[in-house]
């Protein structure tokens, strides 16, 4: 029988699908954690993984799943650290089976994995074509012929239910990022799903930790201006949460990076719009009264989170096929480099036009001058760079037209201005996303366990 | 005397769909006073004009000495469809830090 504790420690194991692996192993080994949470799903990951699953029904989970579990499972099993993750992507059941296979190879004969399903609502969306897109208000119907995925952001209640099975691992598809963390608190501290003061604190903790190193010195350093210790070995964060809602963030003493009021302030506003209304499936978080206080070098106390009741809807991310993007690059250096790059651009545009290709959008970058903030900013009274790399990219519903972009840049080597070097070209299929809201009552979730408890 | 935002505070950019948000956090009370009075939504819209259609909304967080700018139509249609190399707009925080104020 599960008894809630007075305090739990929750660590972050990954902040995105391709995140570093060593800091998670470090936390699992030395962090004295109760839970380790891996957030690995970007908006379009599930759409992409649905395509993988069509080719191989066993797959469709995030690419580094096996490597991550291989690295952290021994320490997690040894130290009793339970794992929560959305690495299941388009196939949580397949992911659970892959984890169990990996566990067996590591000598763990039967690792039970709780599997959360019900986030895939493609069938429900097809039956409700009138639902308006949040982006522009038009019905979702127009996307249906090209739809690759439709998944709701589930809340912390499914994580709580997964943990209640007793399985050491909870595997999900789409769950809102902070909810992955809040769910461990609902279960571990016995919090009520209607206690909004607690939901506020847990959601804020999750929001601060969901991007892993971004709160511990990652995405922060500006040499000479904002430095941190040992940037090579930036550690991931953990949180100590008490049943009464007392929250402290921490990182391991000898890990690299920094955790302080500055890193926390940057991260609390990351991907935040209106600070009074950060909407998750669990609550509407208000951070306007939040304050951070340094407790010791590696610990920050967090207070002041508030929340209003959750909305009656779930947000759905609809992934759909939206044509192709083709691109090519070539570099020029030395005297008159920019003029040669500009001539190259003109030649490519005219050759594409002569072949009969037109594009809804063509983008030209002079890398080193205008690829990030535009020529209007960087060209203003600043000297021309010694070298410049031309990049041309265009979108098209037609694969041939997209391919032609890189082709015409590539052929500049022999057929373009003098001294063009280091050409490259690529094409990719575009999986775009849009959002809708659906009533909660339409969504049916389930928790099953693979293995024997 | 003009002063760059870079001398007054630090910044971070995030993305949601086709919207970028850039936070600016003051280094000191004096810096906060200048940022709060001079780094207006209009000034930011002007700085981002070549990249974003806008509108720009500004939120104040006095307890954190921070401003949060929500810049709409800023990411070439959004991460998944953008033709830009920096499709998340991660570098947009340094465009904010390059803005000059009166000091």
């Amino acid at each position: 029988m599960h008894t809630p504790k007075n305090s739990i420690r929750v660590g972050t194991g990954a902040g995105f699908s391709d995140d570093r692996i060593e800091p998670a192993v470090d936390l699992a080994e030395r962090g004295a954690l109760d839970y380790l949470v891996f957030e690995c799903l970007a908006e379009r990951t599930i759409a992409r993984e649905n395509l993988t699953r069509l080719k191989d029904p066993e797959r469709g989970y995030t690419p580094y799943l096996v490597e991550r579990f291989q690295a952290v499972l021994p320490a997690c099993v040894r130290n009793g650290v339970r794992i929560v993750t959305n690495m299941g992507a388009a196939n949580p059941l397949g992911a659970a089976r892959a984890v169990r296979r990996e566990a067996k190879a590591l000598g763990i004969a039967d690792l039970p994995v709780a599997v959360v399903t019900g986030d895939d609502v493609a069938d429900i969306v097809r039956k409700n074509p009138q639902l308006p897109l949040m982006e522009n208000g038009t019905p979702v119907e127009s996307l249906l012929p090209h739809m690759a995925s439709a998944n709701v952001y589930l809340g912390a209640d499914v994580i709580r239910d997964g943990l209640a099975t007793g399985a050491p691992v909870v595997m999900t598809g789409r769950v809102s990022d902070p909810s992955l963390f809040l769910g461990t608190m609902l279960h571990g501290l016995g919090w009520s799903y209607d206690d909004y003061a607690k939901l506020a604190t847990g959601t804020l903790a999750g929001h601060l930790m969901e991007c892993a190193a971004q709160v511990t010195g990652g995405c922060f350093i500006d040499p000479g201006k904002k430095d941190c210790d040992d940037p090579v070995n930036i550690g991931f964060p953990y949180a100590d949460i008490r049943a009464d809602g007392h929250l402290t963030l921490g990182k391991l003493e000898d890990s690299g990076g920094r955790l302080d009021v500055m890193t926390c302030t940057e991260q609390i506003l990351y991907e935040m719009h209106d600070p009074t209304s950060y909407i998750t499936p669990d609550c509407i978080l208000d951070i306007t009264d939040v304050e951070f206080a340094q407790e010791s070098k590696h610990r920050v106390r967090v207070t002041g989170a508030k929340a209003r009741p959750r909305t009656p809807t779930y947000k759905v991310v609809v992934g759909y096929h939206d044509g192709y993007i083709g691109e090519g690059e070539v570099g020029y250096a030395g005297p008159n480099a920019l003029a040669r790059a500009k001539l190259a651009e003109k030649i490519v545009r005219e050759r594409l036009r002569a072949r009969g290709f037109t594009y809804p959008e063509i983008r030209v970058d002079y890398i080193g001058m205008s690829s990030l903030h535009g020529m209007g900013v960087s060209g203003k009274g600043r000297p021309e760079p010694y070298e410049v790399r031309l990049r041309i990219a265009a979108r098209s519903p037609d694969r041939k037209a997209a391919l032609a972009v890189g082709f015409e840049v590539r052929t500049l080597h022999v057929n373009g201005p003098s001294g063009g070097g280091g050409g490259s070209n690529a094409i990719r299929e575009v999986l775009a996303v849009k959002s809708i809201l659906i009533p909660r009552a339409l969504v049916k979730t389930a928790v099953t366990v693979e293995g024997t408890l | 005397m003009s002063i760059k935002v870079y001398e007054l505070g630090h910044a971070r950019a995030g993305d949601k769909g086709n919207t970028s948000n850039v936070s600016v956090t003051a280094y000191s009370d004096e810096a906060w006073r200048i940022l709060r009075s001079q780094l207006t939504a209009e000034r930011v819209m002007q700085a981002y004009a070549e990249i974003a259609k806008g509108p720009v909304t500004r939120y104040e967080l006095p307890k954190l000495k921070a401003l949060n700018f929500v810049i709409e139509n800023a990411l070439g249609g959004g991460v998944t469809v953008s033709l830009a190399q920096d499709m998340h707009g991660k570098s947009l925080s340094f465009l904010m830090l390059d803005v000059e104020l009166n000091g």
Side-chain angles (χ1 to χ4, degrees):
Chain A
M1 186 61 205
H2 166 68
T3 314
K5 296 168 74 168
N6 283 325
S7 175
I8 58 171
R9 179 172 288 186
V10 185
T12 306
F16 77 115
S17 68
D18 304 333
D19 212 341
R20 297 181 65 231
I21 292 177
E22 296 88 343
V25 178
D26 202 17
L27 273 178
E29 281 177 349
R30 307 189 297 125
L33 301 180
D34 296 291
Y35 304 93
L36 185 55
V37 178
F38 296 81
E39 194 292 291
C40 291
L41 285 188
E43 275 189 321
R44 63 178 152 179
T45 311
I46 290 191
R48 190 188 66 209
E49 291 308 326
N50 257 339
L51 302 184
T52 311
R53 192 183 178 178
L54 284 177
K55 289 178 200 146
D56 179 355
E58 292 291 307
R59 296 186 68 93
Y61 43 82
T62 56
Y64 287 105
L65 174 119
V66 170
E67 288 84 348
R68 284 190 202 287
F69 273 90
Q70 205 169 39
V72 300
L73 258 185
C76 285
V77 169
R78 190 167 62 243
N79 297 330
V81 180
R82 300 179 72 183
I83 295 172
V84 172
T85 183
N86 57 8
M87 276 187 258
N91 190 2
L93 187 59
R97 290 176 180 155
V99 167
R100 284 170 51 72
R101 276 197 300 276
E102 194 51 42
K104 206 167 184 178
L106 292 167
I108 307 159
D110 182 0
L111 180 79
V113 178
V115 181
V116 174
T117 51
D119 62 305
D120 182 343
V121 291
D123 289 338
I124 298 168
V125 171
R126 279 191 203 94
K127 283 179 201 149
N128 293 276
Q130 79 289 351
L131 289 167
L133 296 171
M134 290 172 77
E135 285 79 4
N136 56 20
T138 62
V140 69
E141 186 167 19
S142 62
L143 300 185
L144 294 182
H146 315 287
M147 188 165 79
S149 66
N151 297 73
V152 293
Y153 282 97
L154 295 175
D157 51 339
V158 297
I159 302 300
R160 174 198 62 198
D161 296 347
L163 289 168
T165 64
V169 178
V170 176
M171 180 66 67
T172 77
R174 182 69 73 192
V175 171
S176 151
D177 301 352
S179 306
L180 292 168
F181 295 84
L182 176 60
T184 67
M185 300 164 214
L186 295 179
H187 174 76
L189 299 169
W191 284 355
S192 157
Y193 199 38
D194 293 313
D195 182 345
Y196 281 98
K198 303 293 195 307
L199 299 188
T201 300
T203 299
L204 176 58
H207 172 64
L208 288 167
M209 291 205 295
E210 75 187 49
C211 294
Q214 282 199 183
V215 76
T216 46
C219 196
F220 182 85
I221 305 161
D222 184 10
K225 185 86 175 167
K226 293 190 299 172
D227 287 298
C228 82
D229 298 338
D230 191 9
V232 176
N233 298 299
I234 292 181
F236 286 174
Y238 65 77
D240 286 326
I241 310 106
R242 292 190 206 154
D244 65 4
H246 187 283
L247 167 64
T248 312
L249 292 189
K251 71 186 213 22
L252 296 177
E253 296 238 335
D254 50 359
S255 63
R258 64 191 258 182
L259 175 64
D260 56 22
V261 176
M262 281 172 72
T263 63
C264 288
T265 304
E266 284 198 15
Q267 190 55 22
I268 197 174
L269 291 168
Y270 181 71
E271 296 184 346
M272 173 76 55
H273 289 180
D274 179 352
T276 67
S277 303
Y278 185 74
I279 301 173
T280 79
D282 308 308
C283 64
I284 301 174
L285 177 67
D286 178 344
I287 62 154
T288 48
D289 283 339
V290 170
E291 289 180 88
F292 300 107
Q294 195 84 38
E295 275 196 343
S296 59
K297 190 180 177 198
H298 300 286
R299 292 177 66 84
V300 171
R301 171 102 162 88
V302 187
T303 55
K306 297 179 293 190
R308 301 190 299 282
R310 51 186 163 268
T311 65
T313 52
Y314 280 122
K315 183 177 165 184
V316 181
V317 174
V318 179
Y320 61 99
H321 299 273
D322 194 19
Y324 301 86
I325 291 177
E327 62 181 289
E329 292 181 17
V330 60
Y332 298 90
N336 222 16
L338 181 62
R340 280 177 283 135
K342 285 187 168 173
L343 175 60
E345 176 204 336
K346 186 166 174 274
I347 291 170
V348 170
R349 282 182 186 272
E350 289 190 14
R351 284 181 182 157
L352 288 171
R353 200 176 304 127
R355 289 175 65 189
F357 294 123
T358 56
Y359 303 89
E361 190 185 355
I362 296 183
R363 180 184 171 109
V364 176
D365 293 313
Y366 297 103
I367 298 172
M369 284 197 81
S370 66
S371 69
L372 294 171
H373 299 162
M375 202 63 106
V377 176
S378 61
K380 230 174 6 194
R382 300 184 213 229
E384 265 183 43
Y386 177 78
E387 59 180 60
V388 60
R389 189 165 171 84
L390 170 70
R391 171 178 179 266
I392 302 181
R395 195 189 1 253
S396 174
D398 174 14
R399 194 168 187 278
K400 269 190 197 158
L403 261 178
V405 179
F407 181 89
E408 293 301 344
V409 174
R410 175 94 182 104
T411 56
L412 285 171
H413 268 304
V414 178
N415 303 277
S418 183
S424 65
N425 55 322
I427 179 168
R428 66 180 188 271
E429 190 176 358
V430 179
L431 283 168
V433 295
K434 286 202 161 61
S435 307
I436 53 178
L437 297 174
I438 64 170
R440 284 173 184 256
L442 291 179
V443 178
K444 300 279 178 269
T445 61
V447 176
T448 55
V449 177
E450 287 289 294
T452 316
L453 285 165
Chain B
M1 202 184 79
S2 76
I3 187 166
K4 282 196 174 180
V5 174
Y6 189 63
E7 303 304 326
L8 300 170
H10 52 112
R12 180 170 295 189
D15 67 284
K16 261 198 172 60
N18 198 17
T19 301
S20 172
N21 87 290
V22 181
S23 68
V24 180
T25 306
Y27 285 124
S28 66
D29 290 337
E30 174 61 9
W32 170 238
R33 192 190 57 75
I34 298 169
L35 289 171
R36 197 177 192 177
S37 65
Q38 293 188 35
L39 192 58
T40 59
E42 294 71 31
R43 183 69 191 84
V44 169
M45 186 66 247
Q46 189 191 341
Y48 284 75
E50 192 179 343
I51 293 165
K53 286 202 193 80
V56 173
T57 309
R58 184 180 101 154
Y59 297 96
E60 294 183 15
L61 294 110
K63 290 194 173 175
L64 299 175
K65 292 200 275 278
L67 299 170
N68 188 33
F69 295 93
V70 177
I71 307 165
E72 294 179 53
N73 300 300
L75 296 173
V79 173
T80 53
V81 298
S82 169
L83 293 178
Q85 292 199 297
D86 180 13
M87 49 188 70
H88 296 89
K90 297 270 185 192
S91 72
L92 293 180
S93 51
F94 279 81
L95 180 53
M96 185 73 80
L97 295 173
D98 201 46
V99 170
E100 285 195 17
L101 302 174
N102 293 328

